[in-house]
Amino acid sequence: MPVKINENYLLLKSSYIFAQINQKVNDFQEKNPDAEIIRMGIGDVTRPLPKAVIEEFHKAVDEMGSSKTFMGYGPEQGYSFLIKDIIKNDFIPRGIQISEDEVFISDGAKCDTGNIQEIFGLENLVAVTDPVYPVYVETNVMAGRTGSMGEDGRYEKLAYLPCTAENDFVPQLPEEPVDLIYLCFPNNPTGTTLNKDQLAKWVNYARENKSIILFDAAYESYIREDDIPHSIYEIEGAKEVAIEFHSFSKNAGFTGTRCAYTVVPKELIAYDSEGNPQPINPLWNRRQTTKFNGVSYPIQKAAAAVYTPEGQKEIGESIDYYMQNAGIIRESLIEMGLKVYGGVNSPYIWIKTPEGISSWGFFDLLLKEANVVGTPGVGFGPSGEGYFRITAFNTLKNTKEAMERISKLSI
Ligand code: MLT
């Protein structure tokens, strides 16, 4: 018998949205070699790693070069020095008690939000906001949990929670019970947030329905307003129903360096087919110990430097820098008469495309006429049609230049 493929992969769209954009931009650049393209599509940072981080990184690399200080395999769950810093800085000040064995260091929130579904049964009904970070959907497609995509761009067995201007980008509780719920706030792609009461509704829903929330907090460091939770565990009872994902990518520039962490509380349970409660934390630990050998020592040392006073100061400056860009983008686009969302507690600005122009139409227009790259909203899900995302992660100079170019278009 010939080797068979995992046919679920055939149910995926032909390419990942950012790969598709890259391809289009590269084709355009090839045909227009003089075009100075400004990339505001994928949420990749442009500021270098903080000095405090680099210094620790260098020191740790040197340690690896000496037989006295060399480190081989580390704990799959991450080194205790980093886990302690995370708890002390990201949770205790918010009144959240987390124990060391509830934190798992990894090489990215993309990987963890993608891999987490493996420890849950295939029969679970998964809910995603729409638009949504495509990783949540596509990893469930690969696993065989979604069925195929209909003409409307929706997978038949996923529950979609539309988030559009009509509902202020606040997902409504589902009408039919759902099992796993992916929430990302501040949201990628819309840049919008939920306040404590709005998030508490989801926590209560999960507690009542024995569901689990997979909460992606990768953008929490961009929160500027009070009453926006930085962690779902700020909501009472959330440790019983939520896994939380964090990343050093967007706050400390680790997109190319790779370090993140996931909190899997020990209170969290799901059920086996006989209805017996099973704790989730040991399952994730089991998965990680088999499939993952930990993040490298120098990178974990570098990540720990994020929590030093110098590291905090430097990352604060970078976040302020990107948020200044976000402000410039918002103001410029509003001045052009566009409807603009996000960008206040988030590095993402979500734009309603002008009347009669689709998401991809707007993408083509900006690429061809202004040489500016953004992300078509529809790439994040069918409810993203008619929207467009721009990131604040480019340099200040490029951000200003991009806005100047866009303002000259007749839209
Ligand atoms: C995005 O642009 O949505 C993000 O960069 C994707 C990611 O963090 O993987």
Side-chain angles (χ1 to χ4, degrees):
M1 285 288 275
V3 176
K4 299 285 192 321
I5 57 159
N6 173 355
E7 289 198 16
N8 296 319
Y9 276 64
L10 302 179
L11 304 174
L12 293 165
K13 284 195 210 154
S14 59
S15 59
Y16 186 58
I17 176 71
F18 295 110
Q20 188 182 356
I21 290 173
N22 247 340
Q23 187 60 53
K24 273 184 177 266
V25 175
N26 292 344
D27 290 349
F28 180 81
Q29 184 81 81
E30 213 168 278
K31 289 190 195 115
N32 303 274
D34 296 332
E36 286 182 17
I37 297 174
I38 299 178
R39 291 172 189 259
M40 302 172 104
I42 191 163
D44 196 3
V45 292
T46 50
R47 307 250 303 168
L49 291 172
K51 229 166 115 250
V53 166
I54 284 297
E55 277 168 13
E56 280 306 306
F57 207 170
H58 277 295
K59 270 196 231 158
V61 169
D62 286 342
E63 283 181 60
M64 297 298 269
S66 153
S67 55
K68 286 207 186 82
T69 46
F70 169 77
M71 311 283 275
Y73 291 129
E76 294 91 344
Q77 302 81 355
Y79 284 104
S80 171
F81 63 79
L82 178 56
I83 294 177
K84 283 196 169 86
D85 278 349
I86 287 169
I87 294 172
K88 188 171 148 215
N89 291 278
D90 291 350
F91 295 101
I92 292 185
R94 302 190 201 290
I96 301 163
Q97 300 303 320
I98 301 277
S99 62
E100 283 192 41
D101 52 2
E102 292 177 309
V103 179
F104 296 82
I105 310 293
S106 79
D107 58 348
K110 177 177 184 173
C111 322
D112 283 359
T113 55
N115 291 330
I116 197 78
Q117 48 76 31
E118 275 183 29
I119 60 171
F120 297 103
L122 289 181
E123 62 277 47
N124 286 305
L125 179 57
V126 175
V128 291
T129 57
D130 175 22
V132 69
Y133 180 41
V135 170
Y136 315 151
V137 172
E138 295 188 359
T139 51
N140 277 289
V141 176
M142 292 169 180
R145 222 174 256 114
T146 63
S148 45
M149 188 189 274
E151 303 241 305
D152 60 357
R154 294 186 161 85
Y155 283 96
E156 54 189 352
K157 289 194 253 164
L158 273 189
Y160 288 83
L161 310 166
C163 293
T164 59
E166 284 68 44
N167 62 7
D168 274 337
F169 303 95
V170 176
Q172 302 303 295
L173 296 176
E175 276 156 25
E176 53 171 335
V178 296
D179 303 308
L180 292 169
I181 305 155
Y182 289 83
L183 295 179
C184 171
F185 289 98
N187 186 254
N188 179 15
T190 65
T192 56
T193 48
L194 292 189
N195 63 29
K196 283 200 178 140
D197 287 346
Q198 289 165 332
L199 189 55
K201 283 197 184 129
W202 281 97
V203 171
N204 293 338
Y205 173 89
R207 293 177 78 183
E208 278 158 24
N209 289 277
K210 295 193 164 72
S211 319
I212 288 182
I213 299 174
L214 304 169
F215 191 76
D216 188 347
Y219 300 93
E220 65 80 22
S221 54
Y222 288 85
I223 294 172
R224 287 290 194 264
E225 295 180 319
D226 298 335
D227 198 38
I228 309 290
H230 289 248
S231 163
I232 195 166
Y233 305 126
E234 288 176 49
I235 312 294
E236 208 188 316
K239 279 191 81 186
E240 291 161 32
V241 290
I243 294 176
E244 183 164 281
F245 305 90
H246 285 253
S247 169
F248 293 99
S249 285
K250 316 288 160 135
N251 63 344
F254 275 60
T255 52
T257 311
R258 312 306 303 152
C259 197
Y261 69 89
T262 290
V263 180
V264 187
K266 283 191 278 196
E267 291 95 320
L268 191 70
I269 50 164
Y271 297 84
D272 64 23
S273 53
E274 272 152 30
N276 303 311
Q278 297 288 348
I280 292 298
N281 177 291
L283 296 188
W284 184 243
N285 189 50
R286 190 70 185 77
R287 189 261 174 213
Q288 291 297 82
T289 47
T290 295
K291 293 198 176 185
F292 187 57
N293 253 341
V295 174
S296 81
Y297 172 73
I299 289 181
Q300 292 193 60
K301 282 301 248 190
V306 166
Y307 294 109
T308 60
E310 308 79 58
Q312 286 292 292
K313 183 169 165 282
E314 287 180 81
I315 70 164
E317 284 163 6
S318 283
I319 292 167
D320 287 349
Y321 178 94
Y322 294 134
M323 288 310 284
Q324 183 189 0
N325 289 348
I328 291 169
I329 297 168
R330 273 183 62 87
E331 278 161 32
S332 315
L333 298 174
I334 289 169
E335 221 165 88
M336 287 173 228
L338 290 167
K339 284 217 176 78
V340 172
Y341 309 92
V344 175
N345 296 295
S346 156
Y348 293 130
I349 293 90
W350 189 243
I351 308 161
K352 183 91 192 83
T353 57
E355 193 64 36
I357 306 184
S358 69
S359 290
W360 277 110
F362 200 58
F363 173 90
D364 289 334
L365 179 78
L366 291 201
L367 178 60
K368 287 184 190 133
E369 306 296 329
N371 301 157
V372 173
V373 180
T375 309
V378 72
F380 297 102
S383 299
E385 180 54 279
Y387 292 92
F388 192 78
R389 194 191 76 176
I390 287 193
T391 87
F393 285 127
N394 213 308
T395 61
L396 175 61
K397 183 168 171 282
N398 280 349
T399 301
K400 285 183 174 163
E401 168 73 21
M403 291 307 113
E404 175 106 22
R405 290 188 202 167
I406 297 174
S407 69
K408 292 197 182 120
L409 304 178
S410 46
I411 45 177

Coordinates of all heavy atoms in Angstrom, one line a residue, residues 16-18 41-44 109-110 133-135 188-189 218-219 247 249-250 255 258 348 375 380 389 391 393, ligand 1:
Y16 N -0.7 29.7 4.1 CA -0.8 30.5 5.3 C -0.9 32.0 4.9 O -0.1 32.4 4.0 CB 0.4 30.2 6.2 CG 0.3 30.9 7.6 CD1 -0.7 30.6 8.5 CD2 1.3 31.7 8.0 CE1 -0.8 31.2 9.7 CE2 1.3 32.3 9.3 CZ 0.2 32.1 10.1 OH 0.2 32.7 11.4
I17 N -1.8 32.8 5.5 CA -2.0 34.1 5.0 C -0.7 35.0 4.9 O -0.5 35.6 3.8 CB -3.0 34.9 6.0 CG1 -3.2 36.4 5.5 CG2 -2.6 34.8 7.4 CD1 -4.0 36.6 4.3
F18 N 0.2 34.9 5.8 CA 1.4 35.7 5.7 C 2.4 35.2 4.7 O 3.1 36.0 4.1 CB 2.1 35.9 7.1 CG 1.2 36.6 8.1 CD1 0.6 36.0 9.1 CD2 0.9 37.9 7.8 CE1 -0.2 36.6 10.0 CE2 0.0 38.6 8.7 CZ -0.5 38.0 9.8
G41 N 2.5 44.6 7.3 CA 1.6 43.4 7.3 C 1.8 42.5 8.5 O 1.1 42.7 9.5
I42 N 2.7 41.6 8.4 CA 2.9 40.7 9.6 C 3.3 41.5 10.8 O 4.1 42.5 10.6 CB 3.9 39.5 9.2 CG1 3.8 38.5 10.3 CG2 5.3 40.1 9.0 CD1 4.5 37.1 9.9
G43 N 2.9 41.0 11.9 CA 3.2 41.8 13.2 C 4.6 41.5 13.6 O 4.8 40.9 14.7
D44 N 5.6 41.8 12.8 CA 7.0 41.6 13.2 C 7.6 42.9 13.7 O 7.5 43.9 13.0 CB 7.8 41.0 12.1 CG 9.1 40.3 12.5 OD1 9.3 40.3 13.8 OD2 9.9 39.9 11.7
A109 N 4.4 31.6 21.4 CA 2.9 31.4 21.6 C 2.2 30.9 20.4 O 1.2 30.2 20.5 CB 2.3 32.8 22.0
K110 N 2.8 31.1 19.2 CA 2.3 30.5 18.0 C 2.3 28.9 18.2 O 1.3 28.3 17.9 CB 3.1 30.9 16.8 CG 2.6 30.3 15.5 CD 3.4 30.8 14.3 CE 2.9 30.3 13.0 NZ 3.6 31.0 11.9
Y133 N -6.8 34.9 14.7 CA -5.4 34.5 14.4 C -5.5 33.1 13.7 O -6.0 32.2 14.4 CB -4.6 34.5 15.7 CG -3.2 34.1 15.6 CD1 -2.3 34.6 14.6 CD2 -2.6 33.4 16.6 CE1 -1.0 34.3 14.5 CE2 -1.2 33.0 16.6 CZ -0.5 33.5 15.5 OH 0.9 33.1 15.5
P134 N -5.1 33.0 12.5 CA -5.3 31.8 11.7 C -4.8 30.5 12.4 O -5.3 29.4 12.1 CB -4.7 32.0 10.4 CG -4.2 33.4 10.3 CD -4.3 34.0 11.7
V135 N -3.8 30.6 13.2 CA -3.2 29.4 13.8 C -4.2 28.6 14.6 O -4.2 27.3 14.6 CB -2.0 29.9 14.7 CG1 -1.5 28.7 15.6 CG2 -0.9 30.5 13.9
N188 N -5.7 40.2 18.3 CA -5.1 40.1 17.0 C -6.2 39.4 16.1 O -6.6 38.3 16.4 CB -3.9 39.2 17.0 CG -3.3 39.1 15.6 OD1 -3.6 39.8 14.7 ND2 -2.3 38.1 15.5
P189 N -6.7 40.0 15.1 CA -6.2 41.2 14.4 C -6.9 42.5 14.6 O -6.4 43.5 14.2 CB -6.5 40.8 12.9 CG -7.9 40.1 13.0 CD -7.8 39.3 14.3
A218 N -0.8 37.5 24.2 CA 0.5 37.9 23.6 C 0.7 39.5 23.6 O 1.8 39.9 23.5 CB 0.7 37.3 22.3
Y219 N -0.4 40.2 23.6 CA -0.3 41.7 23.4 C -0.6 42.4 24.6 O -0.8 43.6 24.6 CB -1.2 42.1 22.2 CG -0.9 41.4 20.9 CD1 -1.4 40.2 20.6 CD2 0.1 41.9 20.1 CE1 -1.1 39.5 19.4 CE2 0.5 41.3 19.0 CZ -0.1 40.1 18.6 OH 0.3 39.4 17.5
S247 N 4.0 35.8 25.5 CA 5.1 35.8 24.5 C 6.1 36.9 24.9 O 5.7 38.0 25.3 CB 4.5 36.0 23.1 OG 5.6 36.2 22.2
S249 N 7.8 38.0 22.3 CA 8.0 38.5 21.0 C 7.6 40.0 20.8 O 8.4 40.8 20.3 CB 7.1 37.7 20.0 OG 7.7 36.5 19.7
K250 N 6.4 40.3 21.2 CA 5.9 41.6 20.9 C 6.3 42.7 22.0 O 6.4 43.8 21.7 CB 4.4 41.6 20.8 CG 3.9 40.4 19.9 CD 4.2 40.5 18.4 CE 4.1 39.2 17.8 NZ 3.4 39.1 16.6
T255 N 10.8 38.1 18.4 CA 10.1 37.3 17.2 C 11.2 36.4 16.6 O 10.8 35.3 16.1 CB 9.5 38.3 16.2 OG1 10.5 39.3 15.8 CG2 8.3 39.0 16.7
R258 N 12.8 33.8 19.8 CA 11.8 32.8 20.3 C 11.9 32.5 21.8 O 12.7 31.7 22.2 CB 12.0 31.5 19.5 CG 12.2 31.5 18.0 CD 11.0 32.3 17.3 NE 9.7 31.7 17.6 CZ 8.6 32.5 17.6 NH1 8.6 33.8 17.3 NH2 7.4 31.9 17.9
Y348 N -2.1 46.9 16.7 CA -2.8 46.7 15.5 C -3.9 47.7 15.3 O -4.6 48.0 16.2 CB -3.4 45.2 15.5 CG -2.4 44.2 15.4 CD1 -2.4 43.1 16.3 CD2 -1.3 44.2 14.5 CE1 -1.4 42.1 16.3 CE2 -0.4 43.2 14.5 CZ -0.4 42.2 15.4 OH 0.5 41.2 15.3
T375 N -2.5 43.8 5.9 CA -3.0 42.5 5.8 C -4.5 42.6 5.6 O -5.2 43.2 6.3 CB -2.8 41.7 7.1 OG1 -1.4 41.8 7.5 CG2 -3.2 40.2 7.0
F380 N -8.2 36.7 7.9 CA -8.3 36.3 9.3 C -9.7 35.7 9.5 O -10.0 35.3 10.7 CB -8.2 37.5 10.3 CG -6.8 38.1 10.3 CD1 -6.6 39.3 9.6 CD2 -5.7 37.6 10.9 CE1 -5.3 39.9 9.6 CE2 -4.5 38.2 10.9 CZ -4.3 39.3 10.2
R389 N -5.8 45.3 8.1 CA -5.0 45.5 9.3 C -3.7 46.1 9.0 O -3.0 45.7 8.0 CB -4.8 44.1 10.0 CG -4.2 44.3 11.5 CD -3.7 43.0 12.0 NE -2.4 42.6 11.5 CZ -1.7 41.6 11.9 NH1 -2.2 40.8 12.8 NH2 -0.6 41.3 11.3
T391 N 0.0 47.3 11.0 CA 0.7 47.2 12.3 C 1.5 48.4 12.6 O 1.9 49.1 11.6 CB 1.7 46.0 12.4 OG1 2.9 46.4 11.8 CG2 1.2 44.7 11.6
F393 N 4.4 48.2 14.0 CA 5.7 47.7 14.4 C 6.8 48.2 13.5 O 8.0 47.8 13.6 CB 5.7 46.2 14.3 CG 5.0 45.5 15.5 CD1 4.0 44.6 15.3 CD2 5.4 45.8 16.8 CE1 3.3 44.0 16.4 CE2 4.8 45.2 17.9 CZ 3.8 44.3 17.7
Ligands
MLT1 C1 0.5 38.6 13.1 O1 0.9 39.4 12.2 O2 -0.7 38.3 13.2 C2 1.5 38.0 14.0 O3 2.8 38.4 13.7 C3 1.5 36.5 13.8 C4 2.4 35.9 14.9 O4 2.7 36.5 15.9 O5 2.6 34.7 14.6

